[in-house]
Structures are given as C-alpha cells and as structure tokens.
Amino acid sequence: MTDWFARPVLHVRDVEASLLFYMERLGFTSPWRYDADGRTHVAQVDRQSCALILADTWPEKIGKGLMFISLNVSRNDETETREAAVAALDSLRAELEARGVAVKEGSWGYRLLVVDDPDGNQLFFNYPAETASGKMAGDEA
C-alpha cells in the first residue's frame, strides 16, 4: 500500500512576505523554494505534520484559501483527550499571540481558533466538538 502526502496550495501576492509570516509568526520552517527572475514564486512551509505550499502563480486565487488543521493528542481517556486537545489549542493560541499573530474565535458548528494570513487565506484550528452525550464527535461508543 502507498501512503498519500497532501500539500494544499495557498495563493499569495508575495511569497517572500508570506514566508516571513509563516516562519516568524506561525513557527513554520521552509524546506524548499522555487526562484526565478530574482524572486521566489513557490515555497513549501512545514510545521510538524502540516505542510503548505505558498504560490504566486494564480493571482485570481489570492486570499481564497481555507485550511482546516487539527492538533492530534493521545487518546487514552475520552475526558483526558478532550482536556488535552483544549489545552493544546489554548497553548497554541498563547504562542501565536506572543508572536504578534491576531487570533480570532470562530465557529462552524463547533468552536474554532482562526488565523488569517497577510493575503486573507485562513487557517481554522478546531476545538474538539461535543455531541449531546458529551462525547467528542468521532469517538466510538
């Protein structure tokens, strides 16, 4: 069996400026970039298991990206897992705000932590959703 590795493309006006934001503010690294005519046109940024490609190749798509990012925590106990997930997101929020990132609260049927990049692309970090029974959505009985 072959594993897939997905890297969504976020369209940006200026890849160099976006690299600075993703690396200095969001804590990503950049393993590669494509330069031509003295400018960077495409680059990848990574943080843990999250990889994104930043590109200036389709101007009509700039700022229209939306990326859902989940923080995975160990699944020992349902309550501990929920608490660990909330703590991980709260810690991420504190880290990003300390780096000068504007972090917003959002909702899409459940609570979100929302970050806009300089071009308007959005990163949605989801808090664990609860069902009526108090179990996290996706947990098995």
Side-chain angles (χ1 to χ4, degrees):
M1 179 192 248
T2 305
D3 291 330
W4 289 26
F5 175 59
R7 291 170 291 174
V9 177
L10 295 178
H11 301 280
V12 299
R13 279 183 232 306
D14 181 335
V15 174
E16 285 292 336
S18 292
L19 279 168
L20 285 174
F21 176 79
Y22 278 87
M23 293 170 66
E24 292 180 5
R25 299 287 179 92
L26 300 184
F28 283 76
T29 60
S30 182
W32 64 264
R33 61 182 69 197
Y34 169 73
D35 297 325
D37 305 321
R39 289 185 47 213
T40 301
H41 293 281
V42 182
Q44 180 173 312
V45 291
D46 297 337
R47 179 167 174 170
Q48 294 166 298
S49 295
C50 180
L52 306 171
I53 293 177
L54 308 172
D56 69 359
T57 49
W58 291 287
E60 69 278 6
K61 296 182 180 186
I62 291 171
K64 296 179 181 177
L66 173 69
M67 181 75 191
F68 259 82
I69 303 170
S70 298
L71 303 184
N72 294 325
V73 296
S74 63
R75 297 185 142 253
N76 296 335
D77 174 88
E78 181 179 306
T79 304
E80 289 178 16
T81 301
R82 177 168 172 57
E83 290 172 0
V86 170
L89 279 156
D90 289 344
S91 176
L92 176 64
R93 180 183 195 131
E95 173 198 335
L96 296 178
E97 288 177 337
R99 291 175 178 248
V101 176
V103 178
K104 302 183 289 190
E105 288 286 324
S107 177
W108 199 7
Y110 45 84
R111 184 177 170 207
L112 298 170
L113 181 149
V114 179
V115 173
D116 292 340
D117 79 4
D119 291 294
N121 295 301
Q122 294 187 308
L123 306 180
F124 281 11
F125 297 87
N126 62 295
Y127 279 86
E130 286 190 6
T131 62
S133 68
K135 292 185 180 181
M136 289 193 319
D139 280 350
E140 299 193 21

mmCIF file of all heavy atoms in Angstrom, residues 85-109:
data_model
loop_
_atom_site.group_PDB
_atom_site.id
_atom_site.type_symbol
_atom_site.label_atom_id
_atom_site.label_comp_id
_atom_site.label_asym_id
_atom_site.label_seq_id
_atom_site.Cartn_x
_atom_site.Cartn_y
_atom_site.Cartn_z
ATOM 1 N N ALA A 85 -6.792 18.201 24.225
ATOM 2 C CA ALA A 85 -6.996 18.912 22.954
ATOM 3 C C ALA A 85 -7.252 20.391 23.196
ATOM 4 O O ALA A 85 -6.696 21.252 22.512
ATOM 5 C CB ALA A 85 -8.138 18.283 22.173
ATOM 6 N N VAL A 86 -8.093 20.704 24.172
ATOM 7 C CA VAL A 86 -8.377 22.107 24.501
ATOM 8 C C VAL A 86 -7.111 22.786 25.004
ATOM 9 O O VAL A 86 -6.783 23.908 24.595
ATOM 10 C CB VAL A 86 -9.532 22.207 25.525
ATOM 11 C CG1 VAL A 86 -9.677 23.631 26.056
ATOM 12 C CG2 VAL A 86 -10.845 21.733 24.904
ATOM 13 N N ALA A 87 -6.361 22.105 25.871
ATOM 14 C CA ALA A 87 -5.115 22.675 26.397
ATOM 15 C C ALA A 87 -4.106 22.918 25.273
ATOM 16 O O ALA A 87 -3.414 23.939 25.262
ATOM 17 C CB ALA A 87 -4.520 21.749 27.458
ATOM 18 N N ALA A 88 -4.013 21.986 24.315
ATOM 19 C CA ALA A 88 -3.082 22.148 23.199
ATOM 20 C C ALA A 88 -3.451 23.368 22.354
ATOM 21 O O ALA A 88 -2.576 24.136 21.938
ATOM 22 C CB ALA A 88 -3.069 20.889 22.333
ATOM 23 N N LEU A 89 -4.742 23.553 22.096
ATOM 24 C CA LEU A 89 -5.171 24.718 21.305
ATOM 25 C C LEU A 89 -4.994 26.015 22.078
ATOM 26 O O LEU A 89 -4.582 27.027 21.512
ATOM 27 C CB LEU A 89 -6.619 24.535 20.851
ATOM 28 C CG LEU A 89 -6.711 23.649 19.615
ATOM 29 C CD1 LEU A 89 -8.067 22.997 19.503
ATOM 30 C CD2 LEU A 89 -6.399 24.447 18.386
ATOM 31 N N ASP A 90 -5.282 25.991 23.379
ATOM 32 C CA ASP A 90 -5.067 27.186 24.191
ATOM 33 C C ASP A 90 -3.581 27.551 24.226
ATOM 34 O O ASP A 90 -3.221 28.723 24.161
ATOM 35 C CB ASP A 90 -5.607 26.978 25.604
ATOM 36 C CG ASP A 90 -7.136 26.951 25.659
ATOM 37 O OD1 ASP A 90 -7.792 27.391 24.683
ATOM 38 O OD2 ASP A 90 -7.673 26.476 26.677
ATOM 39 N N SER A 91 -2.723 26.532 24.296
ATOM 40 C CA SER A 91 -1.281 26.757 24.281
ATOM 41 C C SER A 91 -0.837 27.332 22.933
ATOM 42 O O SER A 91 -0.009 28.249 22.881
ATOM 43 C CB SER A 91 -0.561 25.437 24.572
ATOM 44 O OG SER A 91 0.827 25.608 24.483
ATOM 45 N N LEU A 92 -1.385 26.786 21.840
ATOM 46 C CA LEU A 92 -1.065 27.313 20.512
ATOM 47 C C LEU A 92 -1.499 28.774 20.403
ATOM 48 O O LEU A 92 -0.748 29.610 19.907
ATOM 49 C CB LEU A 92 -1.738 26.482 19.422
ATOM 50 C CG LEU A 92 -1.554 27.007 18.000
ATOM 51 C CD1 LEU A 92 -0.089 26.985 17.578
ATOM 52 C CD2 LEU A 92 -2.415 26.213 17.020
ATOM 53 N N ARG A 93 -2.687 29.068 20.895
ATOM 54 C CA ARG A 93 -3.170 30.457 20.848
ATOM 55 C C ARG A 93 -2.211 31.387 21.587
ATOM 56 O O ARG A 93 -1.840 32.450 21.074
ATOM 57 C CB ARG A 93 -4.576 30.561 21.436
ATOM 58 C CG ARG A 93 -5.090 31.979 21.394
ATOM 59 C CD ARG A 93 -6.456 32.131 22.027
ATOM 60 N NE ARG A 93 -6.985 33.416 21.608
ATOM 61 C CZ ARG A 93 -8.183 33.612 21.121
ATOM 62 N NH1 ARG A 93 -9.027 32.616 21.008
ATOM 63 N NH2 ARG A 93 -8.563 34.813 20.750
ATOM 64 N N ALA A 94 -1.795 30.987 22.789
ATOM 65 C CA ALA A 94 -0.875 31.809 23.575
ATOM 66 C C ALA A 94 0.450 31.995 22.839
ATOM 67 O O ALA A 94 1.003 33.101 22.804
ATOM 68 C CB ALA A 94 -0.650 31.174 24.950
ATOM 69 N N GLU A 95 0.954 30.918 22.211
ATOM 70 C CA GLU A 95 2.194 31.007 21.448
ATOM 71 C C GLU A 95 2.063 31.986 20.284
ATOM 72 O O GLU A 95 2.912 32.854 20.075
ATOM 73 C CB GLU A 95 2.577 29.622 20.897
ATOM 74 C CG GLU A 95 3.762 29.658 19.961
ATOM 75 C CD GLU A 95 3.894 28.417 19.084
ATOM 76 O OE1 GLU A 95 3.400 27.342 19.464
ATOM 77 O OE2 GLU A 95 4.493 28.551 17.999
ATOM 78 N N LEU A 96 0.986 31.851 19.520
ATOM 79 C CA LEU A 96 0.793 32.714 18.350
ATOM 80 C C LEU A 96 0.601 34.170 18.757
ATOM 81 O O LEU A 96 1.176 35.076 18.142
ATOM 82 C CB LEU A 96 -0.387 32.222 17.519
ATOM 83 C CG LEU A 96 -0.221 30.838 16.884
ATOM 84 C CD1 LEU A 96 -1.488 30.449 16.116
ATOM 85 C CD2 LEU A 96 1.010 30.769 16.001
ATOM 86 N N GLU A 97 -0.194 34.408 19.795
ATOM 87 C CA GLU A 97 -0.395 35.788 20.250
ATOM 88 C C GLU A 97 0.908 36.396 20.761
ATOM 89 O O GLU A 97 1.170 37.577 20.535
ATOM 90 C CB GLU A 97 -1.495 35.833 21.309
ATOM 91 C CG GLU A 97 -2.863 35.598 20.717
ATOM 92 C CD GLU A 97 -3.997 35.556 21.721
ATOM 93 O OE1 GLU A 97 -3.764 35.289 22.920
ATOM 94 O OE2 GLU A 97 -5.146 35.781 21.289
ATOM 95 N N ALA A 98 1.755 35.590 21.413
ATOM 96 C CA ALA A 98 3.058 36.076 21.875
ATOM 97 C C ALA A 98 3.951 36.454 20.694
ATOM 98 O O ALA A 98 4.830 37.301 20.831
ATOM 99 C CB ALA A 98 3.739 35.021 22.750
ATOM 100 N N ARG A 99 3.716 35.833 19.527
ATOM 101 C CA ARG A 99 4.479 36.140 18.312
ATOM 102 C C ARG A 99 3.835 37.284 17.523
ATOM 103 O O ARG A 99 4.264 37.593 16.423
ATOM 104 C CB ARG A 99 4.561 34.908 17.417
ATOM 105 C CG ARG A 99 5.412 33.789 17.966
ATOM 106 C CD ARG A 99 5.301 32.576 17.041
ATOM 107 N NE ARG A 99 6.104 31.466 17.462
ATOM 108 C CZ ARG A 99 7.166 31.007 16.806
ATOM 109 N NH1 ARG A 99 7.541 31.563 15.677
ATOM 110 N NH2 ARG A 99 7.840 29.989 17.262
ATOM 111 N N GLY A 100 2.766 37.880 18.064
ATOM 112 C CA GLY A 100 2.124 39.015 17.408
ATOM 113 C C GLY A 100 1.066 38.655 16.386
ATOM 114 O O GLY A 100 0.670 39.495 15.572
ATOM 115 N N VAL A 101 0.571 37.417 16.412
ATOM 116 C CA VAL A 101 -0.457 36.982 15.465
ATOM 117 C C VAL A 101 -1.837 37.338 16.020
ATOM 118 O O VAL A 101 -2.129 37.080 17.184
ATOM 119 C CB VAL A 101 -0.369 35.451 15.220
ATOM 120 C CG1 VAL A 101 -1.493 34.981 14.300
ATOM 121 C CG2 VAL A 101 0.990 35.084 14.653
ATOM 122 N N ALA A 102 -2.674 37.918 15.177
ATOM 123 C CA ALA A 102 -4.063 38.185 15.556
ATOM 124 C C ALA A 102 -4.845 36.873 15.443
ATOM 125 O O ALA A 102 -4.983 36.326 14.354
ATOM 126 C CB ALA A 102 -4.679 39.241 14.641
ATOM 127 N N VAL A 103 -5.309 36.377 16.571
ATOM 128 C CA VAL A 103 -6.053 35.125 16.615
ATOM 129 C C VAL A 103 -7.500 35.461 16.931
ATOM 130 O O VAL A 103 -7.777 36.229 17.849
ATOM 131 C CB VAL A 103 -5.477 34.171 17.684
ATOM 132 C CG1 VAL A 103 -6.274 32.880 17.756
ATOM 133 C CG2 VAL A 103 -4.010 33.872 17.395
ATOM 134 N N LYS A 104 -8.415 34.891 16.154
ATOM 135 C CA LYS A 104 -9.839 35.165 16.340
ATOM 136 C C LYS A 104 -10.560 33.893 16.764
ATOM 137 O O LYS A 104 -10.119 32.792 16.463
ATOM 138 C CB LYS A 104 -10.476 35.666 15.045
ATOM 139 C CG LYS A 104 -9.845 36.926 14.483
ATOM 140 C CD LYS A 104 -10.570 37.415 13.246
ATOM 141 C CE LYS A 104 -10.318 36.483 12.072
ATOM 142 N NZ LYS A 104 -10.796 36.993 10.796
ATOM 143 N N GLU A 105 -11.670 34.080 17.444
ATOM 144 C CA GLU A 105 -12.579 32.978 17.736
ATOM 145 C C GLU A 105 -13.486 32.811 16.524
ATOM 146 O O GLU A 105 -13.865 33.794 15.882
ATOM 147 C CB GLU A 105 -13.456 33.290 18.960
ATOM 148 C CG GLU A 105 -12.709 33.243 20.269
ATOM 149 C CD GLU A 105 -12.382 31.825 20.722
ATOM 150 O OE1 GLU A 105 -13.193 30.898 20.501
ATOM 151 O OE2 GLU A 105 -11.297 31.648 21.301
ATOM 152 N N GLY A 106 -13.827 31.581 16.215
ATOM 153 C CA GLY A 106 -14.724 31.318 15.112
ATOM 154 C C GLY A 106 -15.621 30.144 15.451
ATOM 155 O O GLY A 106 -15.463 29.500 16.494
ATOM 156 N N SER A 107 -16.548 29.861 14.572
ATOM 157 C CA SER A 107 -17.448 28.740 14.778
ATOM 158 C C SER A 107 -17.891 28.201 13.430
ATOM 159 O O SER A 107 -18.159 28.968 12.501
ATOM 160 C CB SER A 107 -18.671 29.178 15.584
ATOM 161 O OG SER A 107 -19.568 28.095 15.728
ATOM 162 N N TRP A 108 -17.950 26.908 13.353
ATOM 163 C CA TRP A 108 -18.527 26.234 12.190
ATOM 164 C C TRP A 108 -19.228 24.987 12.703
ATOM 165 O O TRP A 108 -18.857 23.868 12.426
ATOM 166 C CB TRP A 108 -17.461 25.887 11.165
ATOM 167 C CG TRP A 108 -18.017 25.616 9.796
ATOM 168 C CD1 TRP A 108 -19.304 25.783 9.375
ATOM 169 C CD2 TRP A 108 -17.307 25.130 8.670
ATOM 170 N NE1 TRP A 108 -19.433 25.445 8.055
ATOM 171 C CE2 TRP A 108 -18.210 25.035 7.602
ATOM 172 C CE3 TRP A 108 -15.994 24.774 8.449
ATOM 173 C CZ2 TRP A 108 -17.839 24.586 6.336
ATOM 174 C CZ3 TRP A 108 -15.632 24.331 7.192
ATOM 175 C CH2 TRP A 108 -16.557 24.246 6.156
ATOM 176 N N GLY A 109 -20.205 25.229 13.569
ATOM 177 C CA GLY A 109 -20.890 24.146 14.256
ATOM 178 C C GLY A 109 -20.155 23.732 15.516
ATOM 179 O O GLY A 109 -20.669 22.979 16.322
#
